[in-house]
Amino acid sequence: MTDETIGSVGYRDVPAEQGGAASRTWWDANAEEYLDEHGDFLGAVDFCWCPEGLRESEAHLLGDLDGRRVLEVGAGAAQCSRWLASRGVEVVATDVSGGMLATGARLNAATGVAVPLVQADARRLPFADGSFDVAFTSFGAIPFVPDAAAIHREAARVLRPGGAWVFSVTHPSRWAFPDDPSEHGLTANRSYFDRRPYVETDTAGRVTYAEYHRTFGDHVREVVGAGLVVEDVVEPEWPVDNQEVWGGWGPVRGAYLPGTAIFRTRRAS
């Protein structure tokens, strides 16, 4: 959203239906700009978990995928799914944004690595129970809805018993600090326990963007409540050779504060 169309920004409560619906419109409008800014870092056929640059090729957080059916939730342009498909994995990519999926279709054509693209709300996946062995999202869906517990329940529903659900999100501790990649972002200025979402509105007062904070305890309770077991939480360190600045992420803050949390969970057998 351009400065001319922003009415207000800040942390405040908004009706859940407005905050939850805003992300689709925002990502539709900003898909091209997002990829212009971050496309080189993400790659067209690559699996990046976070701004720290942790790749699945080195992390192996999804485990052995031989013969497994995989679902990506909140896939954006499906770079991660495309990387998996290039290695012979059967994978389906979903996203709520038609704009992001359109960019994914163009990348399918440009790279020659095509993955199925399905438009779907992560809280209402159009798949039968027990359809997948592994599901994952890299910064998709979870931060942009007020009811992330519904996403975890859907992930658990479409997984076979014992199936893995792996997701990366902004590290919860970051919400106590300004979203600033410089030294100014190293001093806490709000309560970690303030769960009001970050909200942008247009000049007419309509919610155009909402991002939701959950504490570590919130994430764990929502996952466990969905019938999933937490196996690990990975907090990637900032590599010394990564000079990328991505919103509030960058080498200055990365040297002191965690920026990402990756939860490895599994559906109970």
Side-chain angles (χ1 to χ4, degrees):
M1 185 165 35
T2 64
D3 292 340
E4 291 78 10
T5 59
I6 294 177
S8 67
V9 300
Y11 298 89
R12 62 186 179 88
D13 290 320
V14 294
E17 63 274 13
Q18 294 182 26
S23 62
R24 176 175 178 174
T25 303
W26 192 93
W27 286 107
D28 282 348
N30 292 276
E32 293 292 347
E33 180 181 350
Y34 179 83
L35 288 177
D36 286 346
E37 184 175 359
H38 301 299
D40 288 344
F41 182 77
L42 293 173
V45 186
D46 202 355
F47 192 142
C48 182
W49 277 110
C50 52
E52 287 83 356
L54 181 67
R55 258 67 181 178
E56 178 62 11
S57 58
E58 58 185 297
H60 307 293
L61 297 179
L62 300 185
D64 181 9
L65 298 179
D66 186 30
R68 304 293 195 270
R69 189 166 189 242
V70 179
L71 173 67
E72 182 174 10
V73 175
Q79 293 94 332
C80 298
S81 287
R82 208 168 287 109
W83 182 83
L84 293 173
S86 72
R87 281 150 180 77
V89 177
E90 182 183 358
V91 60
V92 178
T94 70
D95 200 277
V96 74
S97 167
M100 289 302 291
L101 292 175
T103 62
R106 288 196 288 275
L107 288 178
N108 275 354
T111 62
V113 182
V115 297
L117 304 171
V118 178
Q119 187 168 15
D121 189 316
R123 297 166 292 181
R124 293 179 292 275
L125 294 171
F127 304 107
D129 297 358
S131 299
F132 297 92
D133 301 289
V134 175
F136 74 93
T137 185
S138 174
F139 274 84
I142 292 170
F144 306 110
V145 299
D147 51 344
I151 296 176
H152 298 306
R153 289 195 298 269
E154 277 293 90
R157 181 185 65 79
V158 302
L159 283 173
R160 299 181 178 113
W165 167 233
V166 186
F167 60 93
S168 61
V169 292
T170 300
H171 197 285
S173 66
R174 278 289 181 99
W175 281 76
F177 297 84
D179 193 28
D180 186 327
S182 73
E183 290 84 355
H184 298 293
L186 294 174
T187 302
N189 66 348
R190 44 192 311 272
S191 171
Y192 169 78
F193 300 102
D194 183 354
R195 292 171 174 82
R196 291 176 299 170
Y198 169 78
V199 175
E200 296 178 359
T201 65
D202 62 18
T203 53
R206 292 181 292 261
V207 177
T208 55
Y209 181 88
E211 189 169 341
Y212 292 83
H213 167 49
R214 294 170 181 88
T215 66
F216 249 106
D218 294 339
H219 282 297
V220 171
R221 277 186 293 276
E222 290 176 345
V223 164
V224 172
L228 297 156
V229 177
V230 178
E231 294 189 327
D232 193 12
V233 180
V234 178
E235 299 167 290
E237 296 186 37
W238 193 272
V240 294
D241 60 346
N242 183 359
Q243 297 302 306
E244 183 86 4
V245 173
W246 185 323
W249 284 263
V252 173
R253 287 219 295 176
Y256 293 93
L257 295 172
T260 298
I262 308 173
F263 290 78
R264 294 181 65 246
T265 77
R266 192 169 298 279
R267 178 183 164 181
S269 300

